[in-house]
Amino acid sequence: MRLAFLVPAPDYPDPWRWAFDAEAAALERRGVAVDPVVWTDAADLDRYDLILPLVTWGYHLRYTEWLAFLERAERERLPVANPPELLRWNSDKAYLAEFTWKGIPCVPTIEAQALSDADLHHAAQQFGTSELVVKPPVSASATGTHRIRPGDAIPAGEREQRMMIQPFLPSIATEGEYALIHFDGVLSHTLVKRPKAGDFRVQPSLGGTTEPCDTPDGAEDLAQAVLAAAPAPATYGRVDIIRGLNGELLVMELELVEPALWLDVAPHGEAAFADAVIAAAERLSK
């Protein structure tokens, strides 16, 4: 069995081997051959039993190319896990509105089609808080994400752009953000991500830390509701959950494209990861 493990373009600036190495090693220990393939230059994919986009980091910076790759995968019926239609749906965080419509508690979100000062003032009034977070709906690694107050200068790169506005939740700096990792819909392990002192972004490249933890009461029920609301089953997925202003658990994100699975700090998840990937390869290569 041979897998194509899609990895970032050479100009992608952040370290990625820490995620790839742990995931590839978990598969190689099961006798699976793993080839790293740059996703922006993936010409020959027909010879692989499975294509994993788990480290397509930077797709949000080359979004037109990413959508073209997904169209190609569908056209050529490439064995991709997760499936291309699910990856496309999950690439734009407009899916949070779908969850809200279905009654799933999510971080309150307003989408501004062209972010303005008026949008910030309206959001602050609706959320009942003076501190906000703005982020692009197509984003990763906290790109374009800012903590801001109404009246603050909107960063030039985000003004008049399609953006999501959310309340700033102080629990990110105290309790942290929980990441529930699932393989074939079954919880494998839970982690807590925390920002460095004085920041609110939890990404490792920005000084954030991640460590295994117990799953908070009620978090897995929430995660299962989210996974069930997705348009197709997922071989792998990460549900990010945070505590709201009133102590309630809220969905921050469902990541089905290229989530860090944190096998480097949670090696007890290796077996479930390998089982799910091998099962997907056997199913899709028939």
Side-chain angles (χ1 to χ4, degrees):
M1 182 179 291
R2 182 171 292 275
L3 274 59
F5 212 123
L6 302 184
V7 299
D11 60 351
Y12 183 71
D14 294 336
W16 55 269
R17 295 288 314 202
W18 60 270
F20 169 82
D21 288 347
E23 292 162 13
L27 294 167
E28 289 167 344
R29 279 191 280 271
R30 296 283 292 273
V32 178
V34 178
D35 293 342
V37 178
V38 174
W39 75 267
T40 54
D41 190 30
D44 180 16
L45 294 173
D46 293 331
R47 60 196 182 97
Y48 291 106
D49 298 293
L50 188 69
I51 300 160
L52 278 176
L54 265 171
V55 197
T56 53
W57 296 359
Y59 79 86
H60 61 295
L61 304 174
R62 307 174 75 147
Y63 195 50
T64 300
E65 292 175 72
W66 172 241
L67 295 179
F69 173 80
L70 296 179
E71 290 175 5
R72 173 197 167 192
E74 288 179 318
R75 183 174 63 253
E76 298 180 10
R77 301 193 178 195
L78 297 175
V80 181
N82 291 320
E85 66 272 17
L86 187 59
L87 297 174
R88 183 184 297 108
W89 170 84
N90 192 236
S91 296
D92 189 314
K93 293 181 179 61
Y95 64 76
L96 288 173
E98 296 182 32
F99 292 162
T100 300
W101 297 334
K102 293 177 179 179
I104 297 172
C106 298
V107 175
T109 303
I110 293 174
E111 184 174 313
Q113 294 302 315
L115 184 65
S116 67
D117 296 310
D119 291 318
L120 296 180
H121 285 283
H122 169 70
Q125 289 179 342
Q126 181 160 327
F127 298 148
T129 179
S130 61
E131 288 193 278
L132 305 167
V133 172
V134 297
K135 63 179 71 171
V138 178
S139 64
S141 304
T143 302
T145 299
H146 305 275
R147 183 177 173 182
I148 193 169
R149 292 174 179 267
D152 290 349
I154 297 174
E158 278 61 68
R159 178 175 285 278
E160 299 298 322
Q161 299 300 308
R162 178 178 170 236
M163 297 289 285
M164 296 163 53
I165 311 172
Q166 299 175 328
F168 171 71
L169 300 178
S171 64
I172 191 69
T174 54
E175 187 173 356
E177 173 188 322
Y178 296 103
L180 281 65
I181 311 297
H182 292 76
F183 301 124
D184 283 336
V186 178
L187 178 64
S188 168
H189 52 283
T190 300
L191 309 111
V192 62
K193 302 182 286 183
R194 295 187 178 94
K196 69 179 182 182
D199 206 334
F200 69 101
R201 298 164 298 178
V202 299
Q203 287 71 21
S205 60
L206 299 172
T209 60
T210 302
E211 60 185 7
C213 69
D214 294 332
T215 306
D217 291 344
E220 174 56 359
D221 289 340
L222 183 54
Q224 286 298 327
V226 166
L227 292 169
T235 295
Y236 60 85
R238 190 190 77 214
V239 183
D240 290 340
I241 292 174
I242 191 170
R243 210 168 288 278
L245 293 173
N246 297 316
E248 73 280 25
L249 291 176
L250 302 172
V251 174
M252 176 172 279
E253 181 177 3
L254 169 63
E255 178 52 79
L256 304 176
V257 181
E258 32 72 280
L261 302 176
W262 304 103
L263 297 184
D264 56 325
V265 298
H268 53 285
E270 289 182 359
F273 167 68
D275 285 346
V277 170
I278 291 170
E282 292 174 343
R283 181 176 66 252
L284 293 174
S285 62
K286 291 179 179 179

